[in-house]
Amino acid sequence: MISRLIWETDPDEDKYNLKGEKDKKGYSAQTYIDDDLFGYMDAKKGADNENDTKKRRGVLEVSRAISLDPYWGDIAFGSTGGQKDKKSIHSTEVHRTAYQYTIALTPESLKKQERAALALDAIAAIRHVGGNHSRFLYEFRPESIVIRITDDPSPWIMNCFERSGDAVGCSELIRLINAKDIDPNELMVGGKISKTPYAESLNQANVKLCDGVKEAIQIAKQRLTEIKKEATSL
């Protein structure tokens, strides 16, 4: 049973495997945390050629990555090893930037609600890089994070960061709070954003502001626990 998101590295095969993945027997959102969070689809036909597809929509929803900086056309050139010819030179587009993502999750839609806390922990522990540059080390942990625990059907915090000089700001988030579209008591903001001029406005709005990303995540987990206790006591 996969009870936590634990990755194993196999350098000989250059692969990352989710611990216990090789021992999985079919799909089960009840048994496996990855099936519960990310969903699955097993497309197949039945004995009489009928549609026998088994699927589950992922409860964890992730937006596209939005760059905070424009692409300026930077290119890195390289060459193949060994004997050279006119095809030896190759180029790679390089974009030095920061990205923001929005992740949404409804704990009540999970087979086991406690997995929402594990998903929050995982946000601060993303490490694997895929694609052409997977051999390079990147730090994928969040520089800043905004967490909202709410019954509102709309997140309202999507893409709330913007570039402000050499730093990152959140003027749109502050505007939405002042406009009363977002209840500041539902927010936990942590990370580098707490050391910017925007922190004063967040504090004035009574937003829970944390120096660290992990601190904000821990507070969010505590609130989820409190909400679950209140719900079960009714």
Side-chain angles (χ1 to χ4, degrees):
M1 175 177 176
I2 302 174
S3 59
R4 294 183 65 84
L5 292 172
I6 301 175
W7 292 91
E8 298 174 324
T9 307
D10 187 344
D12 293 327
E13 296 186 14
D14 191 23
K15 290 182 179 179
Y16 280 75
N17 297 307
L18 190 62
K19 187 176 181 180
E21 184 75 13
K22 296 177 181 178
D23 301 323
K24 282 184 66 173
K25 304 297 182 184
Y27 298 93
S28 172
Q30 185 70 35
T31 303
Y32 303 114
I33 185 174
D34 52 328
D35 289 348
D36 201 6
L37 287 171
F38 307 121
Y40 55 84
M41 184 175 76
D42 184 15
K44 59 183 179 181
K45 293 288 187 179
D48 298 322
N49 203 37
E50 77 278 10
N51 183 8
D52 194 30
T53 297
K54 302 292 189 298
K55 62 182 179 179
R56 170 179 168 80
R57 178 182 172 85
V59 178
L60 188 74
E61 299 183 272
V62 184
S63 74
R64 293 180 181 272
I66 305 298
S67 174
L68 295 182
D69 303 292
Y71 172 60
W72 298 110
D74 294 338
I75 296 177
F77 290 95
S79 64
T80 59
Q83 188 174 354
K84 311 295 183 185
D85 58 28
K86 63 180 181 181
K87 296 178 292 185
S88 298
I89 303 297
H90 61 83
S91 63
T92 303
E93 294 179 348
V94 179
H95 188 191
R96 186 179 184 277
T97 184
Y99 291 94
Q100 58 180 319
Y101 303 79
T102 303
I103 299 173
L105 174 67
T106 302
E108 291 81 5
S109 297
L110 292 168
K111 295 297 183 182
K112 297 183 179 180
Q113 290 189 33
E114 61 270 21
R115 288 170 173 165
L118 297 177
L120 281 171
D121 284 334
I123 291 173
I126 301 173
R127 64 173 181 175
H128 180 51
V129 182
N132 184 48
H133 294 281
S134 59
R135 62 190 180 276
F136 297 126
L137 177 64
Y138 291 90
E139 191 167 40
F140 269 99
R141 55 87 182 170
E143 180 180 279
S144 296
I145 191 169
V146 176
I147 304 173
R148 185 185 185 203
I149 299 178
T150 181
D151 292 327
D152 193 330
S154 179
W156 284 90
I157 60 172
M158 291 186 70
N159 306 326
C160 63
F161 291 124
E162 76 277 345
R163 182 65 73 191
S164 177
D166 292 331
V168 172
C170 58
S171 58
E172 177 62 10
L173 178 64
I174 294 169
R175 187 192 71 80
L176 290 169
I177 294 170
N178 292 336
K180 296 182 171 53
D181 285 325
I182 296 177
D183 183 348
N185 296 314
E186 296 177 344
L187 294 176
M188 288 124 281
V189 178
K192 205 169 182 178
I193 195 76
S194 67
K195 300 302 181 184
T196 67
Y198 297 89
E200 183 178 353
S201 296
L202 292 170
N203 275 320
Q204 289 176 352
N206 294 319
V207 172
K208 182 60 181 178
L209 193 61
C210 307
D211 288 343
V213 168
K214 290 184 177 181
E215 181 186 357
I217 288 174
Q218 288 302 315
I219 292 172
K221 288 166 60 178
Q222 291 170 9
R223 290 195 184 178
L224 286 177
T225 301
E226 293 167 1
I227 291 170
K228 186 176 180 180
K229 287 181 179 178
E230 291 173 1
T232 54
S233 64
L234 296 177

